[in-house]
Amino acid sequence: MCGIIAYFGNTPRGTGKNVAPILIDGLKKLEYRGYDSAGICLLNNGELYSAKVKGRVSELEKLALDLKQSNIGIAHTRWATHGEPNEINAHPHFDCKNEIAVVHNGIIENYTTLKEILEKEGHKFVSKTDTEVLSHLIEKFYNGNLEEAVMKTLELVVGTFGIAVLHKNENKIVVARRGSPIILGVGENENIIASDAVAVLPYTKKVVYLNDNEMVILTDGKYEIRNFDGQVLEKEIDEIKWTASQIEKKGYEHFMLKEIFEQPEAIENTLRGRIDEDLNVRLSIDKIDFNLVERILIVACGTAWHSGLVAKYLIEKIAKIPVEVDYGSEFRYRDPIVSKKDLLVVISQSGETADSLAALREAKNKGAQTLGIINVVGSTVSREVDAGIYLHAGPEIGVASTKAFTCMLTAVTLLSLFLAQHKKIIIEKEFFNDIKLLPGKVDEVLKQSEKILEIAEKFKDTKNFFFLGRGLSFPIALEGALKVKETSYIHAEGYPAGEMKHGHIALIDDELISVFIATKDHTYTKILSNMEEVHARGGKVIAVVNGDDNAVLNLTKDIIRVPECREELMPIINTVALQLLAYYIANFKGIDVDKPKNLAKSVTVE
Ligand code: AGP
């Protein structure tokens, strides 16, 4: 997810016709969408003036204000998806002749194919980004009309984009979208384009929301909206009713809640382009020699470690490869036995967690091949592994990890299938159909939020929770407990339900609340028995069950119903229910859910 902004105005605003401060101010408001690098490009008298930096918008500000004054410009703050965060990969990107500048939010899925074609035609690329293919394609099609060249370019693109384009010879800005948000702010003799309204609000509340396959051409104080066939469209002007803070959180009270509700889209982005039409899993991790791999070692911390435990169950079940899972903080100090026949998989949202990084280095030193499953592109871990799978979950601002976790689960599921296919194990077609239905199933869980809110209110003053599950639900029980601990500061423990009788059941009383994940799988009848054991001793139960399952009605009325799905995908479904439970309990307790006490978003120290 990145932030783009573009401005064309002929009102001397404040410091005269200087668009740079307007663009920089807009980028600062969009930084929550991405902040690893930034860039700007201004058009003045047939020349383009640009500046790009690695780092925050504040780094760009100094350079931008020194550029030639102008009233036409585009700018970008990046959340890297292809090509690590550095000045070269920062937007805008240019054509061979530096006459065309493009800023882009989205993912061009077929960029490698397009890049090969363009390179064969003599185009020279300087960056590692997918976006740069756009500037060279526009150059290829440009024949004196920028919007026509942009339309021809976008016909070839597979993927998502929100773009703004300048050509040095044309006093206009061409903007287009498919799958990435673009909003047009309509001012008095000035128009502003942005990835969302928060950057437009200081100048106007009058907005037009662009739909997919629509473009807008900004000229001197005017704008024209067209579809990709070139037909002019009349669209009504709306009025923004939100404050800036509400817009950043899309109206949600916290980033954590926004990110919980972003999960259908985030999971779609993790899946995007990774299952081809022949149902082959495509992960671009060919640098790993999988013929050498006899064992997989997974290292991670916290929530990421829970995804590693799910990965163990899935890889062993689907790909029949032995897997060990270690906490990074333990692995690095236990002098582990590691050889070149091991594949070390490090899972990390930030890619900067010190314990996971140290474990990675330990395993590399002992000869293992290494694979990263990471959200932050260009992070230290992503630069030190032999190959990587990016989550494409977008920035996760809430300290408690939510969408990154379900995207990790999605990624490790894809990895399990990839490994199986590499071993010529046949995967049934139904599995892939079920994966495609995942975002919709997660949506169904989100629709239970009212019911989960009621349960959270009823149990918000609980002092102790057990979270219990079997099989693939055991790691999710651990994750549910962690979510409650780190957001509402309530003591919660996750256990394999089968372990209850080995001691934990001694704690059961009418104050300790046991949350059971009791969705249908091969351990279902056993989990029901465990619930009965707790109930028979006066313990209170909250149950997560599938759809219309009423087998637990005699044990509890506090039931969270989630859609049925194949067993291997239920961890993703069940997690979302427990994330909401934890969030609502914490919110009832008035805790700052986005910044819980004592916690950091990335633990870069031991
Ligand atoms: C998860 O809610 C926590 N914020 C924490 O456990 C986190 O998962 C852990 O610190 C690992 O972080 P990473 O994924 O960035 O490596």
Side-chain angles (χ1 to χ4, degrees):
M1 189 157 75
C2 303
I4 69 171
I5 183 167
Y7 178 93
F8 196 140
N10 51 17
T11 54
R13 171 177 292 281
T15 55
K17 288 190 172 182
N18 187 358
V19 73
I22 294 172
L23 298 176
I24 292 295
D25 179 56
L27 286 187
K28 285 178 178 172
K29 292 182 171 58
L30 295 171
E31 274 198 303
Y32 75 91
R33 300 175 61 84
Y35 42 75
D36 58 43
S37 50
I40 189 170
C41 184
L42 310 181
L43 173 58
N44 181 296
N45 279 339
E47 288 303 331
L48 295 178
Y49 300 88
S50 69
K52 307 203 282 190
V53 295
K54 175 181 180 181
R56 305 297 294 244
V57 172
S58 53
E59 296 299 308
L60 178 68
E61 187 161 16
K62 302 187 270 288
L63 299 174
L65 298 181
D66 286 346
L67 290 175
K68 196 120 179 105
Q69 297 234 330
S70 165
N71 64 328
I72 307 169
I74 62 177
H76 182 274
T77 182
R78 187 168 183 240
W79 177 264
T81 56
H82 298 77
E84 68 175 77
N86 59 28
E87 188 178 324
I88 289 179
N89 290 331
H91 299 208
H93 288 286
F94 299 89
D95 65 317
C96 300
K97 301 192 288 287
N98 287 326
E99 294 182 345
I100 296 166
V102 179
V103 292
H104 166 232
N105 172 30
I107 294 178
I108 311 285
E109 285 175 37
N110 62 335
Y111 86 98
T112 42
T113 311
L114 295 171
K115 187 169 179 175
E116 280 160 18
I117 296 167
L118 288 161
E119 284 177 326
K120 284 198 183 100
E121 294 173 356
H123 288 265
K124 296 282 180 268
F125 284 77
V126 295
S127 81
K128 295 276 185 257
T129 66
D130 53 338
T131 301
E132 195 181 350
V133 298
L134 297 176
S135 39
H136 291 283
L137 277 174
I138 295 168
E139 174 187 17
K140 172 182 168 139
F141 293 121
Y142 185 72
N143 189 11
N145 182 310
L146 184 55
E147 54 269 29
E148 279 178 15
V150 170
M151 278 188 262
K152 286 182 182 149
T153 294
L154 298 181
E155 279 171 19
L156 302 178
V157 166
V158 175
T160 58
F161 52 80
I163 59 171
V165 186
L166 287 174
H167 190 293
K168 77 184 189 69
N169 298 336
E170 298 200 34
N171 253 15
K172 65 178 70 165
I173 303 174
V174 175
V175 174
R177 71 151 281 174
R178 182 188 298 147
S180 295
I182 288 279
I183 186 169
L184 165 66
V186 181
E188 294 300 320
N189 286 323
E190 62 182 358
N191 295 304
I192 187 166
I193 291 281
S195 299
D196 81 24
V198 66
V200 168
L201 209 48
Y203 308 100
T204 177
K205 283 181 178 282
K206 291 161 59 181
V207 292
V208 176
Y209 296 96
L210 232 55
N211 296 323
D212 279 353
N213 302 319
E214 290 180 354
M215 68 168 30
V216 54
I217 299 139
L218 300 186
T219 51
D220 201 2
K222 294 191 286 297
Y223 70 88
E224 185 177 83
I225 296 174
R226 297 186 192 171
N227 62 20
F228 283 6
D229 298 325
Q231 289 149 344
V232 176
L233 305 173
E234 293 305 320
K235 290 175 74 88
E236 73 178 57
I237 295 177
D238 281 314
E239 179 114 347
I240 303 173
K241 296 177 181 58
W242 276 352
T243 65
S245 166
Q246 284 173 320
I247 293 167
E248 267 192 353
K249 293 171 193 155
K250 292 226 178 324
Y252 294 104
E253 194 176 344
H254 295 100
F255 278 111
M256 181 180 171
L257 189 60
K258 169 176 171 275
E259 287 151 9
I260 288 173
F261 277 82
E262 275 178 347
Q263 289 180 110
E265 180 191 349
I267 290 167
E268 255 173 26
N269 284 335
T270 304
L271 291 170
R272 194 182 299 284
R274 288 173 164 163
I275 299 175
D276 70 18
E277 59 279 4
D278 300 323
L279 302 185
N280 297 310
V281 177
R282 299 273 182 230
L283 294 176
S284 312
I285 50 179
D286 326 54
K287 286 205 184 113
I288 306 284
D289 179 353
F290 287 97
N291 296 321
L292 275 181
V293 175
E294 291 180 9
R295 181 179 62 159
I296 291 174
L297 306 172
I298 297 177
V299 291
C301 301
T303 285
W305 186 87
H306 298 148
S307 76
L309 198 49
V310 170
K312 171 184 171 66
Y313 282 59
L314 290 176
I315 294 170
E316 291 190 349
K317 178 171 187 252
I318 298 169
K320 311 299 177 206
I321 299 172
V323 180
E324 285 180 29
V325 190
D326 262 288
Y327 287 107
S329 55
E330 287 300 305
F331 185 87
R332 64 186 294 192
Y333 291 118
R334 68 178 179 82
D335 193 13
I337 296 170
V338 179
S339 82
K340 64 179 182 346
K341 294 177 184 169
D342 291 322
L343 171 65
L344 182 104
V345 178
V346 53
I347 306 175
S348 175
Q349 188 287 128
S350 63
E352 302 297 345
T353 300
D355 287 328
S356 304
L357 188 55
L360 164 64
R361 290 168 177 165
E362 172 80 2
K364 276 180 87 166
N365 292 340
K366 295 194 170 187
Q369 296 186 86
T370 59
L371 173 69
I373 298 179
I374 315 286
N375 194 34
V376 180
V377 174
S379 54
T380 306
V381 169
S382 73
R383 279 181 281 113
E384 296 195 12
V385 290
D386 297 323
I389 301 170
Y390 281 127
L391 299 180
H392 297 318
E396 187 176 64
I397 311 297
V399 166
S401 188
T402 51
K403 64 175 181 174
F405 179 62
T406 48
C407 290
M408 286 171 187
L409 296 180
T410 305
V412 300
T413 304
L414 289 172
L415 178 61
S416 310
L417 297 170
F418 175 90
L419 292 168
Q421 289 181 333
H422 181 267
K423 291 178 67 178
K424 308 285 184 259
I425 296 171
I426 303 296
I427 306 293
E428 59 171 357
K429 188 168 182 290
E430 274 319 293
F431 203 133
F432 294 100
N433 292 340
D434 292 342
I435 287 176
K436 289 196 180 95
L437 297 174
L438 253 184
K441 298 273 184 181
V442 169
D443 227 19
E444 286 181 51
V445 183
L446 295 171
K447 290 188 171 74
Q448 293 299 311
S449 58
E450 283 303 311
K451 174 63 180 170
I452 298 170
L453 182 74
E454 283 169 25
I455 294 173
E457 184 164 27
K458 180 175 175 182
F459 293 99
K460 67 183 185 302
D461 299 321
T462 301
K463 295 288 178 288
N464 292 288
F465 280 105
F466 271 171
F467 281 77
L468 300 150
R470 283 177 178 260
L472 279 164
S473 295
F474 162 46
I476 305 310
L478 294 174
E479 174 61 12
L482 177 61
K483 283 283 137 331
V484 164
K485 277 184 275 195
E486 62 176 338
T487 55
S488 54
Y489 315 146
I490 296 175
H491 175 247
E493 294 180 66
Y495 278 109
E499 270 297 292
M500 289 291 293
K501 53 189 175 295
H502 299 288
H504 316 297
I505 203 161
L507 288 177
I508 298 299
D509 62 21
D510 61 359
E511 298 213 336
L512 183 140
I513 308 303
S514 296
V515 181
F516 278 90
I517 303 172
T519 44
K520 295 268 173 59
D521 62 20
H522 68 284
T523 67
Y524 175 67
T525 53
K526 302 245 181 287
I527 203 94
L528 289 184
S529 314
N530 295 138
M531 290 171 71
E532 277 156 13
E533 287 160 23
V534 169
H535 184 259
R537 290 161 177 79
K540 290 202 182 72
V541 167
I542 296 172
V544 180
V545 302
N546 283 127
D548 54 2
D549 178 359
N550 290 319
V552 299
L553 274 178
N554 59 326
L555 304 173
T556 178
K557 298 291 179 286
D558 299 306
I559 298 171
I560 301 172
R561 297 185 182 281
V562 298
E564 288 221 37
C565 194
R566 73 179 315 124
E567 184 170 337
E568 296 89 343
L569 302 178
M570 280 313 295
I572 295 168
I573 305 295
N574 290 325
T575 296
V576 178
L578 300 184
Q579 290 169 348
L580 285 169
L581 181 65
Y583 170 81
Y584 288 132
I585 290 174
N587 206 26
F588 276 120
K589 296 171 77 74
I591 287 165
D592 177 0
V593 182
D594 284 336
K595 299 186 185 70
K597 68 179 179 181
N598 309 335
L599 293 180
K601 184 58 192 167
S602 175
V603 185
T604 56
V605 294
E606 272 214 62

